[in-house]
Amino acid sequence: MALFSFSRLSLPFSLTRHLWFPITLLLSVMILMMGSLLYKGLNWGIDFKGGILLEVRFSRLPDLEKVRRFVQQSDNFGKEATIQQYGDAKRPMILIRAAEKKIDIPSIQKRFQTALKDSVVFEKYDHVGAKLGKELMKASTWALLFALFGIGGYIWIRFDWMFSVASWIALAYDCSALILFFSLFYQEIGEGAMVAFLVTAGYSVNDTVIVFDRIRENRGYKKNLSCAELVDLSINETLSRTVLTSMTTLAALLVLYILGGSVIATYSLPMIIGIASGTISSILIAAPVFYLLSQFDRKKRAEGF
């Protein structure tokens, strides 16, 4: 027997009298996203707007909080600068990302050594130009769009056009929710953001396809049910799987966010928002939109189109 089972519930997700909820939810997130973009905009990271990258080698593992405080001082690299630790105990390294500015490398290196009381070697210094950032932004945008259209195309072939359009609208909701998060809290958009968008799209579609597959399966042998009843039944039959999978994934991401440090948090927090959004959209957006499209298709067929 399953630990949690919702198969006996009859939750009215897509009945006509409840369709105002998913429509309001979808429009609210998109309107809030556009308003936030107009009011606050987006905080593009160094990968996209350009800046400096500096590899620093230490003789022993450094205190990351001391390094971060030193790096983010205004006379060094500034508050927007970030650090990322890599390497191992024998060769500890830190990558510093900072906004473009004139810096005195020898002077900063001396202050670094004094502050940390360690041998500090600046091994590699790179400048990321704005042109390169624009090219990366363009490539990332096209990659995301190709992924989204590829997912929709697969669903169109695997199911039919109504399922595909419903999945695209659900993905539009997921992307809008993530953009709203980045804009509203002015989180930096870097390579981690692109990872979060792609993970969210994949996870959301995975949940959505499971619900759609159950709808198609039930439609084949439960012909006595109306479309609304069929959609409700299919959601309820897959609800326990969706909720438990999402809870497990979110629990793992929360552990990474709390215990993984600031660098891991920049990746895990957007994924938490994305997974939560993907779970909501697969239940409350994709399935109701499919119901609306099926009613529209049925009406057109009845009129002879």
Side-chain angles (χ1 to χ4, degrees):
M1 182 177 178
L3 182 61
F4 298 103
S5 178
F6 303 96
S7 59
R8 294 185 179 181
L9 295 179
S10 181
L11 302 180
F13 288 104
S14 61
L15 292 176
T16 305
R17 65 180 182 272
H18 294 283
L19 281 174
W20 60 268
F21 180 75
I23 294 173
T24 303
L25 179 63
L26 177 64
L27 294 178
S28 297
V29 169
M30 290 188 169
I31 291 171
L32 286 172
M33 176 203 68
M34 290 186 287
S36 184
L37 286 177
L38 290 173
Y39 180 70
K40 299 187 69 173
L42 293 172
N43 179 20
W44 296 104
I46 295 169
D47 295 328
F48 296 104
K49 68 181 180 182
I52 58 176
L53 300 175
L54 181 64
E55 289 185 0
V56 184
R57 177 167 55 86
F58 299 85
S59 61
R60 62 177 183 271
L61 288 173
D63 184 333
L64 291 182
E65 286 304 317
K66 282 186 177 180
V67 174
R68 185 174 290 105
R69 286 196 299 267
F70 175 83
V71 166
Q72 293 181 346
Q73 290 177 8
S74 58
D75 57 342
N76 292 325
F77 297 97
K79 292 183 179 180
E80 293 184 355
T82 61
I83 64 173
Q84 179 180 350
Q85 184 179 10
Y86 62 101
D88 52 33
K90 294 181 179 179
R91 189 181 174 83
M93 302 283 292
I94 282 181
L95 177 65
I96 299 174
R97 301 170 183 261
E100 185 174 358
K101 61 181 292 188
K102 292 182 179 180
I103 58 173
D104 186 353
I105 295 292
S107 176
I108 292 179
Q109 186 173 0
K110 289 180 181 179
R111 293 201 301 271
F112 219 147
Q113 292 174 341
T114 302
L116 297 179
K117 298 179 181 179
D118 189 14
S119 173
V120 178
V121 178
F122 288 0
E123 290 205 336
K124 187 177 180 181
Y125 173 80
D126 286 327
H127 176 267
V128 180
K131 183 177 180 180
L132 181 60
K134 289 181 181 179
E135 291 177 357
L136 180 59
M137 185 188 304
K138 183 179 179 180
S140 299
T141 302
W142 277 112
L144 182 60
L145 289 175
F146 278 132
L148 296 180
F149 279 103
I151 289 169
Y154 165 76
I155 295 177
W156 193 314
I157 296 171
R158 185 72 174 81
F159 296 92
D160 61 40
W161 71 271
M162 292 179 290
F163 291 101
S164 180
V165 173
S167 69
W168 271 326
I169 293 176
L171 287 173
Y173 168 85
D174 297 328
C175 292
S176 298
L178 265 180
I179 293 173
L180 175 62
F181 163 75
F182 280 111
S183 177
L184 192 61
F185 296 98
Y186 211 61
Q187 295 288 312
E188 183 179 285
I189 297 182
E191 57 185 15
M194 295 299 107
V195 172
F197 276 106
L198 292 173
V199 168
T200 298
Y203 192 93
S204 176
V205 167
N206 179 62
D207 274 349
T208 302
V209 165
I210 288 173
V211 177
F212 284 173
D213 190 59
R214 185 56 61 91
I215 291 174
R216 185 179 62 173
E217 180 182 343
N218 286 336
R219 189 167 61 176
Y221 65 89
K222 294 185 179 180
K223 301 183 183 297
N224 59 317
L225 297 180
S226 67
C227 184
E229 293 172 334
L230 193 69
V231 171
D232 284 339
L233 175 64
S234 301
I235 294 175
N236 282 285
E237 288 179 345
T238 57
L239 190 59
S240 59
R241 182 264 176 207
T242 300
V243 171
L244 291 175
T245 303
S246 299
M247 288 173 59
T248 304
T249 307
L250 287 173
L253 288 172
L254 281 171
V255 171
L256 287 175
Y257 176 70
I258 296 171
L259 303 178
S262 59
V263 175
I264 300 298
T266 59
Y267 287 84
S268 56
L269 183 57
M271 289 186 190
I272 291 173
I273 303 299
I275 297 301
S277 170
T279 303
I280 292 171
S281 68
S282 64
I283 298 173
L284 297 179
I285 303 294
V289 168
F290 164 77
Y291 167 71
L292 285 174
L293 292 174
S294 64
Q295 294 301 102
F296 172 78
D297 183 65
R298 182 180 179 182
K299 183 178 178 181
K300 288 296 182 181
R301 288 176 183 274
E303 293 175 354
F305 288 97

